[in-house]
Amino acid sequence: MSHAGHRTRNIVAIGGGGFSEEPDNPLLDDFILSLAGRDRPRACFLGTASGDSQQYLDKFYVAFPEGRARACDLSLFRKSEISDLEAFLLDRDVIYVGGGSTVNMLAVWRVHGVDRALRRAWEAGVILAGISAGMVCWFEASLTYSRGGALGPLDDGLGLLPGSACPHYDRTPHQRQVLHRCIANSDLPDGVAADDGAALHFVGTELVEAISSRPGAGAYIVRREGDRAVETALDTRYLGDDAEPRIPPVGASRESAPAASHFIGIDIAAARPCDVIVADGDLRVLEMMRCGGPEAAARDLHQRFPHAVIAVDASRAPNAGLMDQADYRAELRPVPPPERYHDCRVAEYELIRRGVSLYLTPSGAVPAWMEAGFRWYEALFAAGYSDHSRGKATGPGTVIEYYSHASFVALLGGRPPKKSSPEGRRLRVQALREAGMEADFGIMTADMLDAAVGCLTARRFARGEAADYGDPREGVLTVAAKLPDTVRPLEID
């Protein structure tokens, strides 16, 4: 295929979103395809950064069916019949690069000559696009987690575009803080940043437009001035007509989310069946169940309550080790003491430093009840629910991680006595009643009360009254309300 007469050099750099993160929101992908100026453009996916993940590849083909594009992929980790990679890439209209490890992707590309082929394709008018690693690879430098898991500068990009780039800019405050520090210290050149749901469109090497698939998602120029970094927000054009709420930063109270039909709390256990409580939109308890294996139970819940928000009282995933990274700890406020908090998730640190005790999530082998929690999450996602723990899903059909004790602390304004004590039980029932829950509390065990506050936390999440703590890379933890900076035991009359 010749690109004669179509030598405009386009790059669309996506901070987050697209088919892999917003499968029900085609706005950014439609924009990319529209630049080809033809029906069913030839679109090629490069999944090198994810090691050519089959799951990622499957998402691409689902998002770009035959009626939308003529889709193909170039795998460098599997046996391929493509002998001339450059000719293959030059014969595309769009090349879409997925996310993952930027460092590994660039290294593999250079071994196979894909770096040179991409430059030739760009010069010939093939549209280049990508998310995350696929956003930053086109620049001279970037901010990445690809080196040892710590967020830091990388000056090894393809250099098609000048300066530096940072994706997922609004995903955590840490992202913005580290980028500003790197640019202020000249560890990175001046550059651009994009929130999840935002993208930057370059023609040649000129930035011509910032676009978004979500109202409020933004893009930015970050420059060094003197000894500090200065951020300038760009005018960003929303590609759609709806007014879907923007996802707020982790740790902040949430704006209102779409209404959900039911709210479900699941108290996880390994040595006994898990307690599951279902409440309606008015917090009337409809069902109280005890479930063993999660797979059948998750399918049943999704069949009957597909638009529910479900709160699971267990860690979403193992500890990713962020609190053991010196650079990461230095950006937290307050800065943790050097000798403490190395073995917890960020969400757990946020609770412990306030005075809320909890079990820590290991980075390796986990207790049996945590493993049971992991199984429940996977079963719920397999049944069709969405995952909020990465700070993304917000509406009906969403699963959140909560901690029952923290929610009771937030509702009561302090630490109650143990849930097994008469006074601890009384205070927990009081908190649920005052929040409007209707149930026969007399027949509920302490574990059922924990599941009941999960229903309440899920409802407050849906109404924008809950708060998230933690880092999306490890999973955010939702609490029924913002916690005070210092949590003290309740004074009992």
Side-chain angles (χ1 to χ4, degrees):
M1 171 182 179
S2 171
H3 289 272
H6 181 57
R7 292 187 177 274
T8 302
R9 295 172 298 163
N10 288 279
I11 294 179
V12 181
I14 306 171
F19 73 88
S20 61
E21 295 186 348
E22 296 180 321
D24 297 324
N25 185 346
L27 293 175
L28 289 175
D29 298 332
D30 282 347
F31 176 84
I32 293 166
L33 295 180
S34 72
L35 297 176
R38 62 184 299 174
D39 292 335
R40 297 177 57 246
R42 299 183 184 212
C44 177
F45 180 65
L46 270 66
T48 318
S50 65
D52 290 325
S53 160
Q54 185 61 50
Q55 183 180 16
Y56 210 156
L57 191 60
D58 291 343
K59 289 182 179 180
F60 174 74
Y61 281 108
V62 168
F64 295 92
E66 184 64 25
R68 189 183 190 197
R70 285 169 286 179
C72 66
D73 65 278
L74 174 60
S75 172
L76 301 178
F77 288 87
R78 299 187 181 93
K79 186 176 180 180
S80 173
E81 297 179 357
I82 301 170
S83 58
D84 190 335
L85 300 184
E86 182 173 306
F88 177 79
L89 293 175
L90 281 167
D91 198 30
R92 306 302 118 192
D93 296 303
V94 175
I95 296 172
Y96 199 128
V97 178
S101 171
T102 309
V103 170
N104 293 349
M105 176 180 71
L106 291 169
V108 172
W109 279 358
R110 287 175 173 129
V111 168
H112 291 272
V114 172
D115 57 330
R116 298 187 299 273
L118 287 170
R119 178 176 287 274
R120 287 285 309 279
W122 177 60
E123 292 170 345
V126 179
I127 297 149
L128 305 182
I131 175 178
S132 194
M135 170 197 173
V136 304
C137 64
W138 317 113
F139 294 81
E140 294 171 318
S142 62
L143 196 66
T144 178
Y145 285 100
S146 296
R147 283 182 168 165
L151 186 63
L154 175 70
D155 60 357
D156 195 28
L158 297 180
L160 304 184
L161 298 175
S164 64
C166 175
H168 311 304
Y169 198 48
D170 63 339
R171 192 164 289 186
T172 69
H174 183 60
Q175 204 93 350
R176 177 178 264 104
Q177 293 162 356
V178 176
L179 180 66
H180 280 224
R181 186 185 67 201
C182 287
I183 289 180
N185 295 341
S186 297
D187 294 326
L188 283 174
D190 296 350
V192 297
D195 292 343
D196 286 340
L200 298 153
H201 179 204
F202 292 82
V203 176
T205 58
E206 180 183 356
L207 174 59
V208 296
E209 187 178 25
I211 56 176
S212 76
S213 60
R214 310 176 192 173
Y220 312 85
I221 300 289
V222 185
R223 295 187 177 92
R224 184 172 184 261
E225 292 186 6
D227 60 353
R228 65 192 185 101
V230 176
E231 175 183 304
T232 303
L234 296 168
D235 289 336
T236 304
R237 179 169 66 92
Y238 174 50
L239 297 173
D241 298 322
D242 299 325
E244 180 182 346
R246 181 187 178 193
I247 298 171
V250 173
S253 289
R254 306 179 52 80
E255 297 176 0
S256 60
S261 58
H262 294 83
F263 304 100
I264 301 174
I266 303 178
D267 180 68
I268 298 298
R272 59 170 174 80
C274 298
D275 287 291
V276 179
I277 292 184
V278 180
D280 66 12
D282 294 319
L283 282 182
R284 291 186 293 255
V285 170
L286 305 178
E287 297 184 30
M288 295 188 293
M289 301 173 281
R290 306 200 81 189
C291 301
E295 289 77 13
R299 289 193 297 270
D300 175 65
L301 288 174
H302 191 265
Q303 182 177 5
R304 295 191 295 135
F305 309 110
H307 302 300
V309 174
I310 299 181
V312 179
D313 195 1
S315 300
R316 165 69 181 89
N319 185 339
L322 296 179
M323 289 297 297
D324 202 32
Q325 298 174 14
D327 287 348
Y328 189 93
R329 293 168 64 90
E331 299 298 330
L332 294 173
R333 293 295 179 271
V335 177
E339 70 281 1
R340 298 186 64 191
Y341 305 120
H342 287 269
D343 55 351
C344 61
R345 295 188 302 160
V346 178
E348 293 159 358
Y349 160 72
E350 291 290 350
L351 269 61
I352 293 170
R353 76 173 183 83
R354 288 172 166 83
V356 180
S357 61
L358 75 169
Y359 292 101
L360 301 184
T361 306
S363 56
V366 299
W369 70 268
M370 286 189 183
E371 188 63 43
F374 296 165
R375 286 183 59 204
W376 265 97
Y377 283 111
E378 294 311 312
L380 291 166
F381 301 146
Y385 290 107
S386 300
D387 183 7
H388 169 67
S389 71
R390 304 307 180 190
K392 296 174 187 173
T394 60
T398 295
V399 177
I400 64 173
E401 173 188 342
Y402 82 109
Y403 175 39
S404 54
H405 177 59
S407 283
F408 278 123
V409 167
L411 294 169
L412 292 165
R415 288 196 304 273
K418 290 182 179 180
K419 64 182 182 180
S420 57
S421 69
E423 191 63 19
R425 176 185 177 83
R426 182 188 70 80
L427 287 167
R428 285 166 172 80
V429 171
Q430 173 187 311
L432 294 170
R433 281 185 171 142
E434 290 180 351
M437 179 165 275
E438 299 178 23
D440 186 353
F441 294 110
I443 65 172
M444 286 189 179
T445 64
D447 296 322
M448 289 178 180
L449 293 177
D450 285 346
V453 82
C455 298
L456 176 56
T457 303
R459 183 179 186 244
R460 292 180 66 88
F461 166 86
R463 290 189 165 195
E465 299 164 348
D468 286 345
Y469 295 90
D471 189 302
R473 285 165 293 157
E474 293 183 318
V476 297
L477 189 155
T478 301
V479 179
K482 270 192 172 182
L483 292 163
D485 287 337
T486 302
V487 174
R488 294 182 172 86
L490 288 173
E491 296 184 5
I492 309 300
D493 295 333

